[in-house]
Amino acid sequence: MNEEIRKIYDAIISAELEAAELIIHASGIMTEEKTCHRDVVTEYDRRVQELVVARLRESVPGACFFCEENALHDDLHAEHLFVIDPIDGTMNFVKGYNHSSISVAYVRCGVLTAGAVYNPYLKEMFSAVKGEGAWLNGRPIRAAETPLSENIFSLGTTPYEPETYDETFRLARIALEGSLDLRRGASAALDLAYVAAGRVGLFFEMALSYWDYAAGCLIVQEAGGICSTVDGTPLPMDGSRPSVLAGGKQAYADFRAKL
C-alpha cells in the first residue's frame, strides 16, 4: 500500500471510529420522513455525516463527497471522492435493533480504491484497499468458497419501492430452496461485509444507492467474491440505483444458474 493510500485509508478508519461514538451514545432519537414513512432520517445521520466529512476534508484537502444526507453530491469522477452512508440501517438505529453501520468508500478518478464498513455495536471494522485484500479488524478475510447449498444467504427488501417486492420474493424463493436458510439484516453495507467474511454466501437487493454498496462491494471483491447487478452486469458508478448481487464465487454462480 503506497503512502498516500495508507494515509487516506487510515483517515477513513479514524473518522468512522470517532463518529461511531455518536451512534453508541445516541438518545432521544427523533425521525423525519424523507420519501415515505419507511424512509427516515435522524439528527444523528446528519451529525455522523458532518463529522466524517470534516475529518476527511482535513486529511484530503479539496476532496469531493457523494453522501446520503444533505444533498452533498459532488463530481463522481473527481480525483478524490468519498462516498458516505453515515448510518446504513437507520430504521434499525431508530428501533434500537443494534445492527447498523457507517460506510465510507474512497474513489480515485472513478475507481473504487479503499473502503470501510464499521459496526459500532460489535466493534467490527471491515475494510479493503484495491489490490491489497480485505480485513476484519486488521485480519484477512475471504468470501465463502462453498456452494450455495452449504451457505445461508441474505437479502434486502427495498422497502421504499413496493414495485420491487414481487421480484424480490421470487428470487428469495429460488435462493431459499437452494441454500441453508435466509437472513435479513437491513443494512446492505453489513450484508456485503458479511459476504466478504464468509458469514453468508450470497446477498441481493433489487435497488441500492451508491453509498449503500460502494465500500461493501470493494470489500467483497478484495475478499475474493463477486459483485454485480442481479442480471450479472457490472455495477454502475454513476449514482443510479441498480440491483446488487454479491457472493462467494461458487454460491454466486449457483444462484445465477437458477435464474
Side-chain angles (χ1 to χ4, degrees):
M1 192 184 310
N2 70 43
E3 185 175 343
E4 181 185 20
I5 299 302
R6 167 61 71 179
K7 177 185 174 184
I8 292 170
Y9 171 83
D10 288 346
I12 292 171
I13 300 298
S14 177
E16 289 193 357
L17 290 173
E18 182 179 354
E21 294 301 305
L22 294 173
I23 296 174
I24 291 298
H25 299 293
S27 62
I29 301 169
M30 303 291 290
T31 65
E32 301 170 29
E33 286 189 17
K34 293 199 290 185
T35 61
C36 66
H37 72 287
R38 289 172 169 162
D39 185 12
V40 298
V41 64
T42 73
E43 65 172 304
Y44 289 97
D45 294 82
R46 298 189 180 105
R47 288 173 62 187
V48 168
Q49 180 170 301
E50 289 167 2
L51 191 156
V52 171
V53 168
R55 295 295 180 265
L56 294 175
R57 276 186 171 144
E58 292 169 2
S59 297
V60 188
C64 292
F65 295 86
F66 190 78
C67 307
E68 180 170 14
E69 310 305 339
N70 300 337
L72 186 53
H73 296 169
D74 290 338
D75 179 11
L76 289 172
H77 292 88
E79 181 179 3
H80 303 289
L81 174 74
F82 292 98
V83 181
I84 301 171
D85 193 338
I87 303 180
D88 185 49
T90 296
M91 191 60 76
N92 285 351
F93 171 66
V94 169
K95 296 298 183 182
Y97 196 75
N98 290 5
H99 187 81
S100 304
S101 61
I102 304 172
S103 177
V104 179
Y106 169 64
V107 185
R108 184 164 189 145
C109 299
V111 178
L112 278 171
T113 302
V117 174
Y118 185 56
N119 180 341
Y121 303 104
L122 297 180
K123 297 183 178 179
E124 290 189 328
M125 180 70 74
F126 301 87
S127 61
V129 172
K130 185 175 178 61
E132 301 284 344
W135 309 278
L136 168 54
N137 292 345
R139 296 184 177 183
I141 52 176
R142 295 291 296 176
E145 298 179 352
T146 47
L148 179 60
S149 61
E150 297 178 20
N151 284 278
I152 58 176
F153 78 98
S154 61
L155 60 77
T157 55
T158 319
Y160 319 147
E161 300 177 33
E163 64 273 16
T164 66
Y165 293 176
D166 286 347
E167 182 66 359
T168 293
F169 290 102
R170 184 184 76 84
L171 297 179
R173 176 68 179 262
I174 292 170
L176 182 59
E177 289 177 344
S179 69
L180 294 174
D181 203 354
L182 160 68
R183 299 292 183 270
R184 161 75 171 135
S187 168
L190 281 178
D191 284 325
L192 290 164
Y194 283 15
V195 169
R199 294 177 179 176
V200 299
L202 189 82
F203 163 75
F204 71 86
E205 187 158 359
M206 296 313 299
L208 286 173
S209 295
Y210 196 18
W211 47 73
D212 293 316
Y213 67 82
C217 280
L218 177 64
I219 296 168
V220 169
Q221 290 165 347
E222 287 298 316
I226 301 175
C227 280
S228 71
T229 68
V230 169
D231 292 335
T233 58
L235 284 168
M237 304 297 174
D238 59 3
S240 59
R241 282 176 53 80
S243 63
V244 174
L245 172 65
K249 290 180 179 178
Q250 188 59 58
Y252 175 97
D254 290 347
F255 181 69
R256 289 279 305 133
K258 295 176 183 295
L259 300 184

